[in-house]
Amino acid sequence: MSDAAERLAEVRANIAGAAKRAQREPAGIELIAVSKTHEAAAIRPLIAAGQHHFGENRVQEAAAKWPALRAETPGIVLHLIGQLQSNKAEEAVALFDAIHSVDRSSLVQALAKACAKAGKQPQLFVQVNIGDEEQKGGCAVAALPALLAEARDAGLKIDGLMAIPPATQEPAPYFALLDELAERHGLALRSMGMSGDYETAVMLGATHVRVGTALFGAR
Ligand SMILES: *Cc1c(COP(=O)(O)O)cnc(C)c1O
């Protein structure tokens, strides 16, 4: 096995183990390999090992890397996990199968327009600033109901919630809170958990984990 295949097998086994402990079906948990900053040469071994879901945090970088990689392999699913500027909404809708960073009214409006024009909608997650941190992206917890209502009124289907817990704190309570918020609003998907805490996230209801370092090594 290549290094990439070994790391992938290990992460998949860890996800399956966490799912089992929580009496969940591992099949219900999507592993997103976060390939930001990594070049095609580092990504190909993971694709060869059977990984199909990938995450990028910049539209520009993804647009430069992925069209060629996609032409090589059918069935790639591309997730945007980083902040999105409203003026890049059209490009993002064209390029990505899922957007995890819907976090404000202006972006909801830009995405609604872009999706109507494209005649398709990526899977959408509202990013919640789950720790109500000053400088962090995401919609404030208190503003979530209004943003979800606005998205609905604009004709967007929101499929789930995404969050990044405060870096310096125990993540579990924040994962539990995101799960609770998704439940409260009838949303099926929860995008939570990164290299350091994806097993905890799986035990607390993650449907999508976003793992970079544990698959690719340090950036
Ligand atoms: C970079 C990034 C990740 C992956 O982080 P690792 O710690 O390398 O697994 C996950 N989610 C988001 C939003 C990111 O920007």
Side-chain angles (χ1 to χ4, degrees):
M1 271 202 286
S2 70
D3 287 356
E6 266 172 41
R7 287 195 290 258
L8 180 61
E10 185 181 339
V11 170
R12 287 199 180 286
N14 290 341
I15 290 171
K20 191 168 179 220
R21 288 194 288 281
Q23 297 192 292
R24 299 186 58 200
E25 277 296 328
I29 299 144
E30 205 62 70
L31 169 62
I32 301 170
V34 177
S35 50
K36 64 186 185 199
T37 78
H38 295 288
E39 292 179 1
I43 297 171
R44 279 194 193 95
L46 273 183
I47 296 176
Q51 177 65 25
H52 282 95
H53 286 251
F54 288 87
E56 290 284 343
N57 68 343
R58 290 159 166 270
V59 175
Q60 243 35 44
E61 186 183 340
K65 285 192 318 208
W66 282 97
L69 283 166
R70 275 186 146 154
E72 293 168 18
T73 323
I76 295 292
V77 183
L78 206 53
H79 299 255
L80 177 64
I81 60 169
Q83 274 190 0
L84 177 58
Q85 293 174 316
S86 297
N87 64 8
K88 298 221 173 89
E90 261 190 49
E91 202 179 347
V93 165
L95 190 58
F96 290 96
D97 303 291
I99 297 174
H100 294 235
S101 50
V102 182
D103 65 352
R104 62 195 186 280
S105 173
S106 56
L107 183 56
V108 162
Q109 296 305 330
L111 284 170
K113 223 170 120 188
C115 292
K117 194 168 163 191
K120 66 167 182 173
Q121 194 214 279
Q123 209 169 46
L124 295 177
F125 295 75
V126 167
Q127 181 177 352
V128 182
N129 184 354
I130 200 76
D132 278 326
E133 293 175 281
E134 197 82 16
Q135 310 273 342
K136 196 109 157 210
C139 151
V141 172
L144 179 62
L147 190 65
L148 290 173
E150 182 176 353
R152 193 174 51 237
D153 292 346
L156 290 180
K157 178 178 188 292
I158 301 295
D159 300 287
L161 299 180
M162 180 273 229
I164 308 168
T168 56
Q169 289 177 51
E170 171 58 45
Y174 295 97
F175 293 151
L177 177 56
L178 194 76
D179 182 61
E180 156 66 23
L181 291 171
E183 185 72 33
R184 193 181 300 169
H185 292 286
L187 302 171
L189 307 182
R190 292 107 164 104
S191 167
M192 55 190 198
M194 313 189 353
S195 289
D197 52 24
Y198 65 89
E199 292 169 86
T200 306
V202 165
M203 291 190 69
L204 291 166
T207 60
H208 292 68
V209 293
R210 310 177 308 267
V211 178
T213 310
L215 291 170
F216 288 97
R219 282 183 293 274

